[in-house]
Amino acid sequence: MTSVLYDAPGPKAKRRNLLFSVVFFVLLALLLWWVWVTLDDKNQLEWSLWKPFTTSEAWTTYLLPGLADTLKAAALAMVIALPLGAVLGILRLSDHRWVRIPAGAVVEFFRAIPVLLLMLFANEFYVRSTGIPSDERPLYAVVTGLVLYNASVLAEIVRAGILSLPKGQSEAAMAIGLRKGQTMSSILLPQAVTAMLPAIVSQLVVIVKDTALGGVMLGFTELLNTRSTLAANYANVIPSFIVVAVIFIILNFILTSFASWLERRLRRSKRSTGAVLGADKVDDVNAAEVGGTYGAGAGGSI
């Protein structure tokens, strides 16, 4: 079968693809085997190192509180960055230069600064200019850095998503008399959301992972930070890293799975039924329309 984008592979290409696949899986198996042997040689697979994770103390004292702080910081950053990024992205599409240029300057400025540097600047600002308690200051700094950076990235995602729509959408809205604000809210944004969703979700995954930067530099008690305390108490550095990595994988998998479900739901809601009427059904519809028109005309003549 030939696609519009490419020709279907022939017998030779199929054999080559099969060979590459076999080689890849063999190399992957060898890599996993090498990792396993190396860990075993370093005594990192001993049950004594993994046993703490089977008790409630390791979870309730270290991992679960750190996971709660990670989710708290990520949720706050998402809730603030998403609408802020949408507003900045829409402002960058404004017809007024006095709106478009400042919004573009803000987006380009914060997008160019590393998120860790934004966290450090925010922490110093809160230390010198606010009365936020020291135990809450790392959370404020982490959320501030995540919001400033990710809102600027989301603004570009929103702008690109809106610009990707056919120009005829805006022209049709103008033809029926809609203002630009009405066109944006009623026509362009609802259609662009589906196209933007994969990129938005990937950025939300980045937010979840970047909370770890606050634990490394600011002492924020997120999951990776509490892992270091756990590893110091139980002397199981490698197992603790593996467990935390698995937790992050599960979190991001849940987030991406939810986004995929939401995208499918949005696409189904915008899709027509696709029902095809037979000739008899079409005749019935035409008869009903003619009858309605005749009745209306008769009523008007009376």
Side-chain angles (χ1 to χ4, degrees), residues 125-143:
F125 172 78
Y126 292 134
V127 169
R128 301 174 184 274
S129 305
T130 65
I132 299 175
S134 58
D135 57 335
E136 298 180 4
R137 196 180 302 130
L139 173 62
Y140 281 78
V142 169
V143 172

Side-chain angles (χ1 to χ4, degrees), residues 62-116:
Y62 302 103
L63 295 180
L64 291 182
L67 177 60
D69 284 344
T70 293
L71 294 177
K72 181 179 179 180
L76 288 173
M78 291 177 189
V79 169
I80 301 173
L82 276 173
L84 181 59
V87 170
L88 289 173
I90 294 172
L91 291 180
R92 292 205 67 180
L93 297 173
S94 175
D95 294 333
H96 306 287
R97 295 184 62 186
W98 60 272
V99 174
R100 184 176 64 252
I101 293 177
V106 170
V107 169
E108 295 299 333
F109 177 78
F110 286 111
R111 195 175 59 159
I113 301 178
V115 63
L116 179 57

Side-chain angles (χ1 to χ4, degrees), residues 8 13 52 114 159 175-176 198 205 213 217 222 249 302:
R159 186 174 72 93
I176 61 176
V205 170
L213 297 175
M217 297 299 297
E222 46 77 47
I249 291 172
I302 293 173

Side-chain angles (χ1 to χ4, degrees), residues 169-191:
Q169 300 285 339
S170 300
E171 294 174 349
M174 293 173 60
I176 61 176
L178 292 181
R179 297 189 299 271
K180 186 167 184 179
Q182 294 173 321
T183 302
M184 186 68 67
S185 61
S186 302
I187 297 177
L188 298 182
L189 275 179
Q191 295 183 74

Side-chain angles (χ1 to χ4, degrees), residues 211-279:
T211 56
L213 297 175
V216 174
M217 297 299 297
L218 301 176
F220 177 51
T221 56
E222 46 77 47
L223 186 58
L224 200 60
N225 185 287
T226 55
R227 179 223 61 84
S228 62
T229 308
L230 181 147
N233 288 338
Y234 293 104
N236 55 352
V237 177
I238 298 298
S240 64
F241 273 124
I242 294 175
V243 170
V244 169
V246 171
I247 293 175
F248 273 111
I249 291 172
I250 293 174
L251 284 178
N252 294 326
F253 177 76
I254 293 173
L255 184 60
T256 53
S257 298
F258 171 75
S260 299
W261 171 83
L262 182 61
E263 183 181 5
R264 290 194 300 269
R265 186 177 179 87
L266 290 174
R267 290 187 184 278
R268 283 198 302 266
S269 65
K270 296 176 182 178
R271 192 181 304 158
S272 64
T273 59
V276 179
L277 297 179

